[in-house]
Amino acid sequence: TQVCPYSDSYYKCKCNPCDGYSYTLSEATADGYVTDGSCNSCGTTKYKRKNNPCTGYLTCECGGEIGTPTCKSGTVTKYQTCKTCCEYKCSEASCPDGYICEIETCSNKYCIIGCDVNYTDWCIQPITDCGALGYTKTADQCPNGYLKCPYGETVFCPTETKCTIGDIYYSDNTCSSADNYNSSKTVLGVVVYVTDNGKHGQIISAETSGRYAWGTYGVSSLPTITSNIGAAKDFDSCGNTDKIIAAGNSTTHPAAWAARNYARTAETEGKWCLPSAGIMANVYMNTDIINNSISKLNGTKFTVPENYETVDRTWTSTVGGRNDLWVFTMDRSSNNGLIFHMREGDDGDLYNYLVRPVLEF
């Protein structure tokens, strides 16, 4: 690289730097790698390396079958045969009495798919009892008008019973059926749960408020409900949400905070909640009448997906333990629309599912 100043026949030499060849042979052939060319630097051979292509082996999302041959490609293990990913759609440790179940072999859990013979009362059915829905009168008992029960002949008087499931709820604290929709009023949502003969209950927004992660662990004050039947009886949306809000912030628990920050009107700001599992089970059991009102409002209806890959899920505020949450789906293979969701990672749940706020009245 340098010429002698007294004779240009003489030079100084340097070793070939072999730029890019930065591995020894043992490093270039370490587990998962193969050599990708070599270079001689004054008698020392240096190497490049690349990931072992592992021709004939597969990248498996859920790992390989037990005993299948493996091959290391860089830091990734590939398999000759992949195993089927587990959907974790079932949650029952055993099939309850009075039900027909199917078992998910990968999780060894049971899904309830129907009622056993002569056990129809064990299954949670759509509420079609007119009396339970608040329709307890006859037409002649309602001189100022009435609404007829969609499942029978009884009626209810608007001045006596406040609301029924499927009613459109307005900001002036009145409600009406979809057929009597008053477009001049400000709508808050659709009634999905009633108590005290319709004087109190919960309404759900006609639209979702976006997609969010549920959040991190650490809400120890929430009750743990491990069975689908128990989850379907949890109606404490705002009680659950209050506990989640108290346990963190919008970064640690995005879904609950998104529901709480939802506001149809200034008066309802800060009062909306993440729905409990029981509320969403009510939606599942009364989908047709609820969707009828949502359609009147040009909202987003609850629809059954064409296949499992297109299932959209909605968060609930009901938990099944440190590693489990209850989510809602209109997939008809689920029971009451509720399925167990396994949390992901040490930082909590990273899935961005839908948030559909509810409001108590």
Side-chain angles (χ1 to χ4, degrees):
T1 59
Q2 297 178 25
V3 180
C4 176
Y6 308 109
S7 172
D8 58 9
S9 298
Y10 295 89
Y11 296 81
K12 285 184 177 181
C13 296
K14 68 176 182 180
C15 291
N16 184 353
C18 294
D19 293 334
Y21 295 81
S22 53
Y23 297 101
T24 65
L25 179 61
S26 61
E27 291 171 335
T29 57
D31 190 21
Y33 301 94
V34 294
T35 58
D36 189 24
S38 62
C39 176
N40 189 304
S41 178
C42 293
T44 299
T45 304
K46 298 182 180 181
Y47 298 87
K48 288 183 180 179
R49 73 179 187 183
K50 63 182 178 181
N51 291 349
N52 185 355
C54 292
T55 303
Y57 288 81
L58 305 171
T59 300
C60 300
E61 180 182 354
C62 300
E65 290 283 5
I66 296 176
T68 189
T70 62
C71 178
K72 198 76 173 292
S73 177
T75 59
V76 177
T77 300
K78 295 187 176 183
Y79 304 87
Q80 201 166 82
T81 305
C82 294
K83 70 178 181 181
T84 302
C85 292
C86 193
E87 297 175 359
Y88 293 102
K89 66 180 181 179
C90 298
S91 59
E92 304 292 337
S94 61
C95 189
D97 291 341
Y99 290 92
I100 298 173
C101 303
E102 65 179 9
I103 189 168
E104 184 181 45
T105 55
C106 57
S107 66
N108 203 32
K109 297 285 188 178
Y110 290 85
C111 281
I112 296 172
I113 60 174
C115 297
D116 203 353
V117 177
N118 299 325
Y119 281 93
T120 55
D121 289 342
W122 285 82
C123 287
I124 300 175
Q125 299 291 330
I127 300 174
T128 57
D129 182 338
C130 291
L133 291 172
Y135 297 88
T136 59
K137 304 294 184 181
T138 58
D140 59 354
Q141 292 176 301
C142 303
N144 297 321
Y146 60 85
L147 293 176
K148 183 177 177 295
C149 176
Y151 306 110
E153 298 302 319
T154 53
V155 303
F156 86 97
C157 309
T159 56
E160 288 187 9
T161 305
K162 197 164 184 64
C163 297
T164 61
I165 291 176
D167 279 358
I168 296 172
Y169 196 92
Y170 306 97
S171 61
D172 62 355
N173 298 322
T174 62
C175 52
S176 72
S177 68
D179 292 339
N180 295 314
Y181 169 46
N182 188 340
S183 60
S184 66
K185 291 186 177 184
T186 299
V187 174
L188 293 181
V190 177
V191 178
V192 292
Y193 174 67
V194 292
T195 61
D196 194 18
N197 201 30
K199 295 179 182 178
H200 301 286
Q202 295 179 43
I203 63 174
I204 198 164
S205 169
E207 295 284 357
T208 66
S209 62
R211 295 178 181 274
Y212 300 86
W214 200 94
T216 59
Y217 307 144
V219 188
S220 58
S221 57
L222 282 174
T224 297
I225 302 175
T226 57
S227 74
N228 186 290
I229 299 171
K233 296 178 181 178
D234 178 21
F235 300 104
D236 194 14
S237 301
C238 289
N240 293 345
T241 303
D242 289 342
K243 291 181 176 67
I244 300 171
I245 294 296
N249 53 48
S250 59
T251 300
T252 60
H253 300 93
W257 280 81
R260 182 52 52 88
N261 290 332
Y262 178 79
R264 282 287 298 165
T265 64
E267 291 75 14
T268 63
E269 186 175 358
K271 298 179 181 179
W272 292 81
C273 308
L274 193 64
S276 63
I279 294 300
M280 299 312 294
N282 248 25
V283 171
Y284 187 86
M285 293 183 289
N286 297 277
T287 306
D288 290 343
I289 191 170
I290 291 171
N291 272 345
N292 186 37
S293 292
I294 291 176
S295 293
K296 283 284 186 179
L297 304 175
N298 294 319
T300 302
K301 295 193 296 183
F302 297 94
T303 56
V304 178
E306 294 182 1
N307 54 64
Y308 184 81
E309 284 71 27
T310 61
V311 170
D312 223 335
R313 296 179 177 181
T314 302
W315 288 123
T316 79
S317 57
T318 304
V319 301
R322 174 177 171 79
N323 294 320
D324 300 300
L325 299 163
W326 286 99
V327 295
F328 172 77
T329 173
M330 283 297 294
D331 178 14
R332 291 303 187 188
S333 66
S334 64
N335 188 42
N336 307 323
L338 303 176
I339 58 173
F340 249 155
H341 172 85
M342 304 290 289
R343 289 186 189 256
E344 297 291 327
D346 293 333
D347 293 327
D349 199 280
L350 305 179
Y351 281 87
N352 289 326
Y353 291 155
L354 295 172
V355 170
R356 194 134 182 176
V358 295
L359 179 70
E360 293 182 343
F361 66 87

